[in-house]
Amino acid sequence: MATPQVDPEGFRALAAAFVATRGSANTRAAYGRDLRLLGEALGVQPMDADAPPFGVEDHPGARRAAQQMSAVPAGWWQDWRDGLDGRRSSRARRVAAVRAFCRWWSRALDLPNPVENLRPPASAGRGQERLTREVAALSASQVRRMC
């Protein structure tokens, strides 16, 4: 799917305002990293400087970026989610961060939330992520022959 067009300055303003609303420094850093990955997927270069975190509702670029993101089809968001690297827990955290971000600006700007139905990545099954080697079982007669 083609990369959606999103106003870079507006995206940075939205991301900075959202991150500023988070409580702890560690949470702000984690959300910042996760939104930087989303920005890269949307064709926005990494944030060079902090955007003003307050008054984002009146920022014309922020509204334009939010409108553009709300128009991105659900298929693109699912492809983005499915293409994430890392462990399942890291991918799930990134999806949760993007869902919180989109929920925040959709409420603040009264726009549709494009990721309302986006769920965390599916697991291969309980315990299957840790299995890295093939297990071979020997019959009793094979064990006797080896001994």
Side-chain angles (χ1 to χ4, degrees), residues 49-120:
D50 290 336
F54 301 104
V56 74
E57 297 87 359
D58 299 325
H59 190 289
R63 176 166 286 283
R64 187 171 36 256
Q67 289 169 333
Q68 291 165 333
M69 282 189 287
S70 69
V72 172
W76 185 89
W77 293 103
Q78 291 169 351
D79 289 347
W80 168 80
R81 177 201 60 200
D82 295 343
L84 290 172
D85 291 332
R87 294 178 24 200
R88 183 186 182 286
S89 59
S90 298
R91 295 188 328 258
R93 190 200 70 238
R94 289 181 190 122
V95 170
V98 168
R99 289 186 67 201
F101 172 59
C102 291
R103 182 175 48 248
W104 175 83
W105 60 251
S106 72
R107 288 178 181 167
L109 301 172
D110 194 29
L111 291 169
N113 181 351
V115 296
E116 188 172 15
N117 296 319
L118 186 68
R119 297 293 169 238

